[in-house]
Amino acid sequence: MRLIFLGPPGAGKGTQAKVISKKFNYPHISTGDILRESVKNNSPVGRQAKGYMDRGELVPDEIVTRIVVERLGRPDASAGFILDGFPRTKKQAVELDKEFKKAGIGIDYAIYFETSEPVVISRLSGRRVCEKCGLNYHITNIRPKKENTCDACGGALFQREDDKVETIKKRLNVYKNQTADLIDYYKDKGVLETVSGDLSVEEVFKALSVLFNKRINDRS
Ligand code: AMP
């Protein structure tokens, strides 16, 4: 299955993408993760992207689109993938469509994680990330056993620069101004499905599994 996860930052797209990727064996392609890795490695792309990311702005379309096209061309993406955080602008969506047309493929679903603003702000401002393995925690909902220490690898937890409240508000504005229109873009293509991102991880996973299993069964 070829899937696009849409919705504001903090909607739970990344969390669901990780679980769905494991269950259905499709690669999870998160432009945010790829860019953060590039920043960590101080690669040329990372150096170009860092300022935009820290300010909560979008990295220029050309840079992000190039990354995604390269990633989609790898063999593990041939049977399906989950795109998380891409496309984020109309231009990115149009470029993606061109690539799909060239390859003679289409997407199965664009899933819109409809999520209220207070939920987003609370999730993002409370998020803490392991500096070593990248595992996510939350100051009230997913607390580590030992304070500020990752349960899995013992790494220290930190707050992402763009998870500070002022930057979250900016990211939400960027989402409203540049990304939200993509909901109609995919609705018009007849591939949009909506789930509530306000629900628990388990509830959203259940809703997605029903949808995806149905599609897989319909095909076989
Ligand atoms: P995320 O982890 O998806 O919230 O992404 C973190 C940051 O990476 C965003 O705030 C942007 O600066 C950048 N980014 C990720 N995906 C894209 C994209 N598709 N287009 C432009 N910038 C992006």
Side-chain angles (χ1 to χ4, degrees), residues 9 13 30-33 35-36 49 52-54 56-61 64 84-89 92 127 160 162 171:
K13 305 185 297 294
S30 153
T31 41
D33 285 352
L35 289 167
R36 274 185 291 280
Y52 297 101
M53 295 173 77
D54 285 347
E57 295 166 9
L58 293 186
V59 173
D61 289 328
V64 191
D84 160 21
F86 184 96
R88 252 175 158 105
T89 63
Q92 292 176 12
R127 174 162 66 184
R160 271 169 50 174
D162 59 351
R171 287 164 73 198

Side-chain angles (χ1 to χ4, degrees), residues 3 6 23 26 38 81-82 85 123 135 153 160 163 166 190-191 219:
L3 305 167
L6 287 174
K23 176 165 176 186
Y26 300 126
S38 306
F81 48 77
I82 306 161
R123 277 189 193 152
L135 211 63
C153 75
R160 271 169 50 174
D163 280 345
E166 277 320 300
V191 293
R219 276 186 185 160

Side-chain angles (χ1 to χ4, degrees), residues 3 12 62 116 137 153 174 184 191 195:
L3 305 167
E62 300 69 40
S116 61
Y137 293 85
C153 75
V174 167
D184 281 340
V191 293
V195 294

Side-chain angles (χ1 to χ4, degrees), residues 27 29 34 67-81:
I29 303 175
I34 296 172
I67 291 175
V68 170
V69 170
E70 187 277 320
R71 182 64 189 86
L72 289 175
R74 292 202 217 153
D76 68 339
S78 63
F81 48 77

Side-chain angles (χ1 to χ4, degrees), residues 176-194:
K176 281 180 208 156
N177 294 332
Q178 301 192 62
T179 309
D181 283 351
L182 293 181
I183 297 161
D184 281 340
Y185 182 86
Y186 287 107
K187 193 191 261 173
D188 292 347
K189 286 182 179 292
V191 293
L192 190 83
E193 291 286 340
T194 302

